[in-house]
Coordinates of all heavy atoms in Angstrom, one line a residue:
M1 N 106.4 72.5 72.0 CA 106.2 73.8 72.5 C 105.9 74.7 71.3 O 106.5 74.6 70.2 CB 107.5 74.3 73.2 CG 107.4 75.7 73.7 SD 108.9 76.2 74.5 CE 108.3 76.2 76.1
Q2 N 104.9 75.6 71.5 CA 104.5 76.4 70.4 C 105.3 77.8 70.4 O 105.5 78.3 71.5 CB 103.0 76.7 70.4 CG 102.2 75.4 70.2 CD 100.7 75.7 70.3 OE1 100.3 76.7 70.9 NE2 99.9 74.8 69.8
W3 N 105.6 78.3 69.3 CA 106.2 79.6 69.2 C 105.2 80.6 68.5 O 104.6 80.3 67.5 CB 107.5 79.6 68.4 CG 108.5 78.8 69.0 CD1 108.8 77.4 68.8 CD2 109.4 79.2 70.1 NE1 109.8 77.0 69.6 CE2 110.2 78.1 70.4 CE3 109.6 80.4 70.7 CZ2 111.2 78.1 71.4 CZ3 110.6 80.4 71.7 CH2 111.3 79.3 72.0
Y4 N 105.1 81.7 69.1 CA 104.2 82.7 68.6 C 105.0 83.9 68.0 O 106.0 84.3 68.6 CB 103.3 83.3 69.7 CG 102.3 82.2 70.3 CD1 102.7 81.5 71.5 CD2 101.2 81.9 69.6 CE1 101.8 80.5 71.9 CE2 100.3 80.9 70.1 CZ 100.7 80.2 71.3 OH 99.8 79.3 71.7
A5 N 104.5 84.4 67.0 CA 105.1 85.6 66.3 C 104.8 86.8 67.2 O 103.8 86.9 67.8 CB 104.6 85.8 64.9
A6 N 105.7 87.8 67.2 CA 105.5 89.0 67.9 C 104.4 89.8 67.3 O 104.2 89.7 66.1 CB 106.8 89.8 67.9
A7 N 103.7 90.6 68.0 CA 102.6 91.4 67.5 C 103.2 92.4 66.5 O 104.3 93.0 66.7 CB 101.9 92.1 68.7
Q8 N 102.4 92.7 65.5 CA 102.8 93.7 64.5 C 102.8 95.1 65.2 O 101.8 95.5 65.7 CB 101.9 93.6 63.3 CG 102.2 94.6 62.2 CD 103.6 94.3 61.6 OE1 104.0 93.2 61.5 NE2 104.2 95.4 61.1
L9 N 103.9 95.8 65.0 CA 103.9 97.2 65.6 C 103.3 98.2 64.7 O 103.3 98.0 63.4 CB 105.4 97.6 65.9 CG 106.1 96.7 66.9 CD1 107.6 97.1 67.0 CD2 105.5 96.9 68.3
S10 N 102.7 99.2 65.2 CA 102.1 100.3 64.4 C 103.3 101.2 64.0 O 104.4 101.0 64.3 CB 101.1 101.1 65.3 OG 100.0 100.3 65.6
S11 N 102.9 102.2 63.3 CA 103.9 103.2 62.8 C 104.5 104.0 64.0 O 103.7 104.2 65.0 CB 103.4 104.1 61.8 OG 102.4 105.0 62.4
P12 N 105.7 104.4 64.0 CA 106.3 105.1 65.1 C 105.5 106.4 65.4 O 105.4 106.8 66.5 CB 107.7 105.5 64.6 CG 108.0 104.5 63.6 CD 106.7 104.1 62.9
S13 N 105.0 107.1 64.3 CA 104.3 108.3 64.6 C 103.0 108.1 65.4 O 102.7 109.0 66.2 CB 104.0 109.0 63.3 OG 103.1 108.2 62.5
T14 N 102.4 107.0 65.3 CA 101.2 106.7 66.1 C 101.6 106.6 67.5 O 100.9 107.2 68.4 CB 100.6 105.4 65.6 OG1 100.3 105.4 64.2 CG2 99.3 105.0 66.4
Y15 N 102.7 105.9 67.8 CA 103.1 105.8 69.2 C 103.5 107.1 69.8 O 103.2 107.5 70.9 CB 104.2 104.8 69.3 CG 103.8 103.4 69.2 CD1 104.3 102.6 68.1 CD2 103.0 102.8 70.1 CE1 103.9 101.3 67.9 CE2 102.6 101.4 69.9 CZ 103.1 100.7 68.8 OH 102.7 99.4 68.7
F16 N 104.2 108.0 69.0 CA 104.7 109.2 69.5 C 103.5 110.2 69.7 O 103.5 111.0 70.7 CB 105.7 109.8 68.6 CG 107.0 109.0 68.6 CD1 107.7 108.8 67.4 CD2 107.5 108.5 69.8 CE1 108.8 108.0 67.4 CE2 108.7 107.8 69.8 CZ 109.4 107.5 68.6
Q17 N 102.5 110.2 68.8 CA 101.3 111.0 69.0 C 100.5 110.6 70.2 O 100.1 111.5 71.0 CB 100.4 110.9 67.8 CG 101.0 111.6 66.6 CD 100.2 111.4 65.3 OE1 99.2 110.6 65.3 NE2 100.5 112.0 64.2
T18 N 100.4 109.3 70.4 CA 99.7 108.8 71.6 C 100.5 109.2 72.9 O 99.9 109.6 73.9 CB 99.5 107.3 71.6 OG1 98.9 107.0 70.3 CG2 98.7 106.8 72.7
A19 N 101.8 109.1 72.9 CA 102.6 109.5 74.0 C 102.4 111.0 74.3 O 102.3 111.4 75.5 CB 104.1 109.2 73.8
A20 N 102.4 111.8 73.3 CA 102.3 113.3 73.5 C 100.9 113.6 74.0 O 100.8 114.4 75.0 CB 102.5 114.0 72.1
F21 N 99.9 113.0 73.5 CA 98.5 113.2 74.1 C 98.4 112.8 75.5 O 97.9 113.5 76.4 CB 97.5 112.5 73.2 CG 96.1 112.7 73.7 CD1 95.4 113.9 73.6 CD2 95.5 111.6 74.4 CE1 94.1 114.0 74.1 CE2 94.2 111.8 74.9 CZ 93.5 113.0 74.7
C22 N 99.0 111.6 75.8 CA 98.9 111.1 77.2 C 99.7 112.1 78.1 O 99.3 112.3 79.3 CB 99.5 109.7 77.3 SG 98.4 108.4 76.7
L23 N 100.8 112.6 77.7 CA 101.6 113.5 78.5 C 100.9 114.8 78.8 O 100.9 115.3 79.9 CB 103.0 113.8 77.8 CG 103.9 114.6 78.5 CD1 104.4 113.9 79.8 CD2 105.1 115.0 77.7
V24 N 100.2 115.3 77.8 CA 99.4 116.6 78.0 C 98.3 116.3 79.1 O 98.2 117.1 80.0 CB 98.9 117.1 76.7 CG1 97.8 118.2 77.0 CG2 100.0 117.6 75.8
V25 N 97.6 115.2 78.9 CA 96.5 114.9 79.9 C 97.1 114.6 81.2 O 96.6 115.1 82.3 CB 95.7 113.7 79.3 CG1 94.7 113.3 80.4 CG2 95.0 114.1 78.0
A26 N 98.2 113.9 81.3 CA 98.8 113.6 82.6 C 99.3 114.8 83.3 O 99.0 115.0 84.5 CB 100.0 112.6 82.4
V27 N 99.9 115.7 82.6 CA 100.4 117.0 83.3 C 99.2 117.8 83.8 O 99.3 118.3 84.9 CB 101.3 117.8 82.3 CG1 101.5 119.2 82.8 CG2 102.6 117.1 82.1
T28 N 98.2 117.8 83.0 CA 97.0 118.6 83.5 C 96.4 117.9 84.7 O 96.0 118.6 85.7 CB 95.9 118.6 82.3 OG1 96.5 119.2 81.2 CG2 94.7 119.4 82.7
L29 N 96.2 116.6 84.7 CA 95.6 115.9 85.8 C 96.5 116.1 87.1 O 96.0 116.2 88.2 CB 95.3 114.5 85.5 CG 94.2 114.2 84.6 CD1 94.1 112.7 84.2 CD2 92.9 114.7 85.2
I30 N 97.8 116.0 86.9 CA 98.7 116.1 88.1 C 98.6 117.5 88.7 O 98.6 117.7 89.9 CB 100.1 115.7 87.7 CG1 100.1 114.1 87.4 CG2 101.1 116.1 88.7 CD1 101.4 113.6 86.8
A31 N 98.6 118.5 87.8 CA 98.5 119.9 88.3 C 97.2 120.1 89.0 O 97.2 120.7 90.1 CB 98.6 120.9 87.1
V32 N 96.1 119.7 88.5 CA 94.8 119.8 89.1 C 94.7 119.0 90.4 O 94.3 119.5 91.5 CB 93.6 119.4 88.2 CG1 92.3 119.3 88.9 CG2 93.5 120.4 87.0
G33 N 95.2 117.8 90.4 CA 95.2 117.0 91.6 C 96.1 117.5 92.7 O 95.7 117.5 93.9
R34 N 97.2 118.1 92.4 CA 98.1 118.7 93.4 C 97.4 119.9 94.0 O 97.4 120.1 95.3 CB 99.4 119.1 92.8 CG 100.3 117.9 92.5 CD 101.7 118.3 92.1 NE 102.3 118.9 93.2 CZ 103.4 119.7 93.1 NH1 103.9 120.0 92.0 NH2 103.9 120.2 94.2
H35 N 96.7 120.7 93.2 CA 96.0 121.9 93.7 C 94.9 121.5 94.7 O 94.8 122.0 95.7 CB 95.5 122.7 92.6 CG 94.6 123.9 93.0 ND1 95.2 125.0 93.5 CD2 93.3 124.0 93.0 CE1 94.2 125.8 93.9 NE2 93.0 125.2 93.6
Q36 N 94.1 120.5 94.2 CA 92.9 120.1 95.0 C 93.4 119.4 96.3 O 92.8 119.6 97.3 CB 92.0 119.2 94.2 CG 91.1 120.0 93.3 CD 90.0 119.2 92.7 OE1 89.5 119.6 91.7 NE2 89.5 118.2 93.4
R37 N 94.4 118.6 96.2 CA 94.9 117.9 97.4 C 95.5 118.9 98.4 O 95.2 118.7 99.6 CB 95.9 116.8 97.0 CG 96.3 116.0 98.2 CD 97.3 114.9 97.8 NE 98.5 115.4 97.1 CZ 99.6 115.8 97.6 NH1 99.8 115.7 98.9 NH2 100.6 116.2 96.9
R38 N 96.2 119.9 97.9 CA 96.8 120.8 98.8 C 95.8 121.8 99.5 O 95.9 122.1 100.6 CB 97.9 121.6 98.1 CG 98.7 122.5 98.9 CD 99.8 123.2 98.1 NE 99.2 124.1 97.1 CZ 99.4 124.0 95.8 NH1 100.1 123.0 95.3 NH2 98.8 124.8 94.9
T39 N 94.9 122.3 98.7 CA 94.0 123.4 99.2 C 92.6 122.8 99.6 O 91.9 123.5 100.4 CB 93.7 124.4 98.1 OG1 93.1 123.8 97.0 CG2 95.0 125.1 97.7
G40 N 92.2 121.7 99.1 CA 90.8 121.2 99.4 C 89.7 122.0 98.7 O 88.6 121.9 99.0
R41 N 90.1 122.7 97.6 CA 89.2 123.5 96.8 C 89.3 123.1 95.4 O 90.4 122.8 94.9 CB 89.4 125.0 97.0 CG 89.3 125.4 98.4 CD 89.5 126.9 98.5 NE 89.7 127.4 99.9 CZ 88.7 127.5 100.8 NH1 87.5 127.2 100.4 NH2 88.9 127.9 102.0
S42 N 88.3 123.3 94.6 CA 88.3 123.0 93.2 C 89.1 124.0 92.5 O 89.1 125.2 92.9 CB 86.8 122.9 92.7 OG 86.9 122.8 91.3
I43 N 89.7 123.7 91.4 CA 90.5 124.6 90.6 C 89.5 125.4 89.7 O 89.8 126.6 89.4 CB 91.6 123.9 89.8 CG1 92.6 124.9 89.3 CG2 91.0 123.2 88.6 CD1 93.8 124.3 88.8
I44 N 88.4 124.9 89.3 CA 87.4 125.5 88.4 C 86.6 126.5 89.2 O 86.3 127.6 88.8 CB 86.6 124.5 87.7 CG1 87.5 123.7 86.8 CG2 85.5 125.2 86.9 CD1 86.8 122.5 86.2
N45 N 86.1 126.1 90.4 CA 85.2 126.9 91.2 C 85.9 127.0 92.6 O 85.5 126.2 93.5 CB 83.8 126.3 91.3 CG 82.9 127.1 92.1 OD1 83.2 128.3 92.4 ND2 81.7 126.6 92.4
P46 N 86.8 127.9 92.9 CA 87.5 127.9 94.1 C 86.8 128.4 95.3 O 87.4 128.6 96.4 CB 88.7 128.9 93.8 CG 88.2 129.8 92.7 CD 87.2 129.0 91.9
D47 N 85.5 128.7 95.3 CA 84.6 129.1 96.4 C 85.2 130.4 97.0 O 85.5 130.5 98.2 CB 84.6 128.0 97.5 CG 83.9 126.8 97.0 OD1 83.0 126.9 96.1 OD2 84.3 125.7 97.4
R48 N 85.3 131.4 96.2 CA 85.7 132.7 96.7 C 84.5 133.4 97.5 O 83.4 133.0 97.3 CB 86.2 133.6 95.6 CG 87.4 133.1 94.9 CD 87.9 134.1 93.9 NE 89.1 133.5 93.3 CZ 89.3 133.3 92.0 NH1 88.4 133.7 91.2 NH2 90.4 132.8 91.6
P49 N 84.8 134.4 98.3 CA 83.7 135.2 98.9 C 82.8 135.8 97.8 O 83.3 136.3 96.8 CB 84.4 136.3 99.7 CG 85.8 135.7 99.9 CD 86.1 134.9 98.7
V50 N 81.5 135.8 98.1 CA 80.6 136.4 97.1 C 79.8 137.5 97.7 O 79.4 137.4 98.9 CB 79.6 135.2 96.7 CG1 78.6 135.8 95.7 CG2 80.4 134.1 96.1
R51 N 79.6 138.6 97.0 CA 78.8 139.7 97.5 C 77.4 139.6 96.9 O 77.2 139.5 95.7 CB 79.4 141.0 97.0 CG 78.7 142.3 97.5 CD 79.4 143.5 97.3 NE 80.7 143.6 97.9 CZ 80.8 144.0 99.2 NH1 79.8 144.2 100.0 NH2 82.0 144.1 99.8
V52 N 76.5 139.5 97.9 CA 75.0 139.5 97.5 C 74.4 140.7 98.1 O 74.4 140.8 99.4 CB 74.4 138.2 98.0 CG1 72.9 138.2 97.7 CG2 75.1 137.0 97.4
A53 N 73.9 141.6 97.3 CA 73.3 142.9 97.7 C 74.4 143.6 98.5 O 75.4 144.0 98.0 CB 72.0 142.7 98.5
N54 N 74.1 143.9 99.8 CA 75.1 144.6 100.7 C 75.9 143.6 101.6 O 76.7 144.1 102.4 CB 74.4 145.7 101.5 CG 73.9 146.8 100.6 OD1 74.5 147.0 99.6 ND2 72.9 147.5 101.0
A55 N 75.7 142.4 101.5 CA 76.3 141.4 102.4 C 77.4 140.6 101.6 O 77.2 140.3 100.5 CB 75.3 140.4 103.0
L56 N 78.5 140.4 102.3 CA 79.6 139.6 101.8 C 79.5 138.2 102.4 O 79.7 138.1 103.6 CB 80.9 140.2 102.1 CG 82.2 139.6 101.5 CD1 82.1 139.6 99.9 CD2 83.4 140.2 101.9
L57 N 79.2 137.2 101.6 CA 79.1 135.8 102.1 C 80.5 135.2 102.1 O 81.2 135.3 101.1 CB 78.2 135.0 101.2 CG 76.7 135.5 101.1 CD1 76.0 134.6 100.1 CD2 76.1 135.5 102.5
P58 N 80.9 134.6 103.2 CA 82.3 134.0 103.3 C 82.4 132.8 102.4 O 81.4 132.2 102.0 CB 82.4 133.6 104.8 CG 81.0 133.4 105.2 CD 80.1 134.4 104.5
E59 N 83.6 132.5 102.1 CA 83.9 131.3 101.3 C 83.6 130.1 102.0 O 83.7 130.0 103.3 CB 85.4 131.3 100.8 CG 86.4 131.3 101.9 CD 87.8 131.4 101.4 OE1 88.0 132.1 100.4 OE2 88.7 130.9 102.1
A60 N 83.3 129.0 101.3 CA 83.1 127.7 101.9 C 84.4 127.1 102.5 O 85.4 127.3 101.9 CB 82.4 126.8 100.9
P61 N 84.3 126.4 103.6 CA 85.6 125.8 104.1 C 86.1 124.7 103.1 O 85.3 124.1 102.4 CB 85.1 125.2 105.4 CG 83.7 125.1 105.3 CD 83.2 126.1 104.4
P62 N 87.3 124.4 103.2 CA 87.9 123.3 102.4 C 87.2 122.0 102.7 O 86.8 121.7 103.9 CB 89.3 123.2 102.7 CG 89.7 124.6 103.3 CD 88.4 125.1 104.0
R63 N 87.0 121.2 101.7 CA 86.2 119.9 101.9 C 87.2 118.7 101.7 O 88.1 118.7 100.9 CB 85.1 119.8 101.0 CG 84.1 120.9 101.2 CD 82.8 120.7 100.5 NE 83.0 120.1 99.2 CZ 82.1 120.2 98.2 NH1 81.0 121.0 98.3 NH2 82.3 119.7 97.0
K64 N 86.9 117.7 102.5 CA 87.7 116.5 102.4 C 87.5 115.8 101.1 O 88.4 115.2 100.5 CB 87.4 115.5 103.6 CG 88.3 114.3 103.6 CD 88.0 113.5 104.8 CE 88.9 112.3 104.8 NZ 88.7 111.4 106.0
S65 N 86.3 115.9 100.5 CA 86.0 115.2 99.3 C 86.8 115.8 98.1 O 87.2 115.0 97.2 CB 84.5 115.3 98.9 OG 84.1 116.7 98.7
K66 N 87.1 117.1 98.2 CA 88.0 117.7 97.2 C 89.4 117.1 97.3 O 90.1 116.9 96.3 CB 88.0 119.2 97.3 CG 86.7 119.8 97.0 CD 86.3 119.7 95.5 CE 85.0 120.4 95.2 NZ 84.6 120.2 93.9
R67 N 89.9 116.9 98.5 CA 91.2 116.4 98.7 C 91.3 114.9 98.2 O 92.3 114.5 97.5 CB 91.6 116.4 100.1 CG 91.8 117.8 100.7 CD 92.2 117.8 102.1 NE 92.0 119.1 102.8 CZ 92.9 120.1 102.7 NH1 94.0 120.0 102.0 NH2 92.6 121.2 103.3
V68 N 90.2 114.2 98.4 CA 90.2 112.8 97.9 C 90.1 112.8 96.4 O 90.8 112.0 95.7 CB 89.0 112.0 98.5 CG1 88.8 110.7 97.8 CG2 89.1 111.9 100.0
T69 N 89.4 113.7 95.8 CA 89.3 113.8 94.3 C 90.7 114.2 93.8 O 91.1 113.7 92.7 CB 88.2 114.9 93.9 OG1 87.0 114.5 94.5 CG2 88.1 115.0 92.4
G70 N 91.4 115.1 94.5 CA 92.7 115.4 94.1 C 93.7 114.2 94.1 O 94.5 114.1 93.1
R71 N 93.5 113.4 95.0 CA 94.4 112.1 95.1 C 94.0 111.2 93.9 O 94.9 110.6 93.3 CB 94.2 111.4 96.4 CG 94.8 112.1 97.5 CD 94.8 111.3 98.8 NE 95.4 112.0 99.9 CZ 94.7 112.6 100.8 NH1 93.4 112.5 100.9 NH2 95.3 113.3 101.8
V72 N 92.7 111.1 93.5 CA 92.3 110.3 92.4 C 92.9 110.9 91.1 O 93.4 110.1 90.3 CB 90.8 110.2 92.3 CG1 90.3 109.6 91.0 CG2 90.2 109.5 93.5
Y73 N 92.8 112.2 90.9 CA 93.5 112.8 89.8 C 94.9 112.6 89.7 O 95.5 112.3 88.6 CB 93.2 114.4 89.8 CG 91.8 114.8 89.4 CD1 91.3 116.0 89.9 CD2 91.0 114.0 88.7 CE1 90.0 116.4 89.5 CE2 89.7 114.4 88.4 CZ 89.2 115.6 88.8 OH 88.0 116.0 88.5
L74 N 95.6 112.6 90.8 CA 97.0 112.3 90.9 C 97.3 110.9 90.4 O 98.2 110.6 89.7 CB 97.6 112.6 92.2 CG 97.9 114.0 92.6 CD1 98.2 114.1 94.1 CD2 99.0 114.6 91.8
F75 N 96.5 110.0 90.9 CA 96.7 108.5 90.6 C 96.5 108.3 89.1 O 97.4 107.7 88.4 CB 95.7 107.7 91.4 CG 95.8 106.2 91.0 CD1 96.8 105.4 91.5 CD2 94.9 105.7 90.2 CE1 96.9 104.1 91.1 CE2 94.9 104.3 89.8 CZ 96.0 103.5 90.3
V76 N 95.5 108.9 88.5 CA 95.2 108.7 87.1 C 96.3 109.4 86.3 O 96.8 108.9 85.3 CB 93.8 109.2 86.7 CG1 93.6 109.2 85.2 CG2 92.7 108.4 87.4
G77 N 96.8 110.6 86.7 CA 97.8 111.3 86.0 C 99.1 110.5 86.0 O 99.8 110.4 84.9
W78 N 99.5 109.9 87.1 CA 100.8 109.1 87.1 C 100.6 107.8 86.4 O 101.6 107.3 85.8 CB 101.2 108.9 88.6 CG 101.8 110.1 89.2 CD1 101.3 110.9 90.2 CD2 103.0 110.8 88.8 NE1 102.1 111.9 90.4 CE2 103.2 111.9 89.6 CE3 104.0 110.5 87.8 CZ2 104.3 112.7 89.5 CZ3 105.1 111.3 87.7 CH2 105.2 112.4 88.5
F79 N 99.4 107.3 86.3 CA 99.1 106.1 85.5 C 99.3 106.4 84.0 O 99.9 105.6 83.3 CB 97.7 105.6 85.8 CG 97.4 104.3 85.1 CD1 97.9 103.1 85.5 CD2 96.6 104.3 83.9 CE1 97.7 101.9 84.8 CE2 96.3 103.1 83.3 CZ 96.9 101.9 83.7
L80 N 98.9 107.6 83.6 CA 99.1 108.0 82.2 C 100.6 108.3 81.9 O 101.0 108.1 80.8 CB 98.3 109.3 81.9 CG 96.8 109.0 81.8 CD1 96.0 110.4 81.6 CD2 96.5 108.2 80.6
V81 N 101.4 108.7 82.9 CA 102.8 108.9 82.7 C 103.4 107.5 82.4 O 104.3 107.4 81.5 CB 103.5 109.5 83.9 CG1 105.0 109.4 83.8 CG2 103.0 110.9 84.1
L82 N 102.9 106.5 83.0 CA 103.4 105.1 82.7 C 103.0 104.8 81.2 O 103.8 104.2 80.5 CB 102.7 104.1 83.6 CG 103.1 102.6 83.4 CD1 104.6 102.4 83.6 CD2 102.2 101.7 84.3
G83 N 101.8 105.2 80.8 CA 101.5 105.0 79.4 C 102.4 105.8 78.4 O 102.6 105.3 77.3
V84 N 102.8 106.9 78.8 CA 103.8 107.7 78.0 C 105.1 106.9 77.8 O 105.6 106.8 76.7 CB 104.1 109.1 78.6 CG1 105.2 109.8 77.9 CG2 102.8 110.0 78.6
V85 N 105.6 106.4 78.9 CA 106.8 105.6 78.8 C 106.7 104.4 77.9 O 107.5 104.1 77.0 CB 107.3 105.2 80.2 CG1 108.5 104.2 80.2 CG2 107.6 106.4 81.0
I86 N 105.5 103.7 78.1 CA 105.3 102.5 77.2 C 105.2 102.9 75.8 O 105.8 102.2 74.9 CB 104.1 101.7 77.7 CG1 104.3 101.1 79.1 CG2 103.6 100.7 76.7 CD1 103.1 100.5 79.8
N87 N 104.5 103.9 75.5 CA 104.3 104.4 74.1 C 105.7 104.8 73.5 O 105.9 104.6 72.3 CB 103.3 105.4 73.9 CG 101.9 104.8 73.9 OD1 101.6 104.0 73.0 ND2 101.0 105.3 74.8
L88 N 106.5 105.5 74.3 CA 107.8 105.9 73.8 C 108.7 104.7 73.5 O 109.3 104.7 72.4 CB 108.5 106.8 74.8 CG 107.9 108.3 74.9 CD1 108.6 109.0 76.0 CD2 108.1 109.0 73.5
V89 N 108.7 103.7 74.3 CA 109.5 102.5 74.1 C 109.0 101.8 72.8 O 109.8 101.4 72.0 CB 109.4 101.6 75.3 CG1 110.0 100.2 75.0 CG2 110.1 102.2 76.5
N90 N 107.7 101.7 72.7 CA 107.1 101.0 71.5 C 107.4 101.8 70.2 O 107.7 101.2 69.2 CB 105.6 100.8 71.6 CG 105.3 99.6 72.5 OD1 106.2 98.7 72.8 ND2 104.1 99.6 73.1
G91 N 107.4 103.1 70.3 CA 107.7 104.0 69.2 C 109.1 103.8 68.7 O 109.4 103.8 67.6
I92 N 110.0 103.7 69.7 CA 111.4 103.6 69.4 C 111.7 102.2 68.8 O 112.4 102.0 67.8 CB 112.3 103.8 70.7 CG1 112.3 105.2 71.1 CG2 113.7 103.3 70.4 CD1 112.8 105.5 72.4
R93 N 111.0 101.2 69.3 CA 111.1 99.8 68.8 C 110.6 99.8 67.4 O 111.2 99.1 66.5 CB 110.4 98.8 69.6 CG 111.1 98.5 70.9 CD 110.4 97.5 71.8 NE 110.0 96.3 71.0 CZ 108.9 95.5 71.2 NH1 108.1 95.9 72.2 NH2 108.6 94.5 70.5
A94 N 109.5 100.5 67.1 CA 108.9 100.5 65.7 C 109.8 101.2 64.8 O 109.8 100.9 63.6 CB 107.5 101.1 65.8
A95 N 110.5 102.2 65.2 CA 111.3 103.0 64.4 C 112.6 102.2 64.0 O 113.1 102.4 62.9 CB 111.7 104.3 65.0
R96 N 113.0 101.3 64.9 CA 114.2 100.5 64.6 C 113.9 99.4 63.6 O 114.8 99.0 62.9 CB 114.8 99.9 65.9 CG 115.5 100.9 66.7 CD 116.1 100.2 67.9 NE 116.9 101.1 68.7 CZ 117.4 100.8 69.8 NH1 117.3 99.6 70.3 NH2 118.1 101.7 70.5
S97 N 112.7 98.9 63.6 CA 112.5 97.8 62.7 C 111.9 98.2 61.4 O 111.8 99.2 61.0 CB 111.5 96.8 63.4 OG 110.3 97.5 63.7

């Protein structure tokens, strides 16, 4: 039976910086995803009523594609939270050794 050496760990600061970056991106994606899933409207372009000359054009109705996009953002955001946990565990392990 062969024995393999454990992989060399990076410095703890590398893991903690990666975890912090992943956390910021994850929180942003989760917030945007929750908004889009709940309202069916984009957070950047919320389709407000627009005045053109003397007429007020109504806002566009909520779209199902925006809700689906919101669910995708939520999935990717929660996947990045898993990356935060893994990087924190690896950072703690690297700091101990």
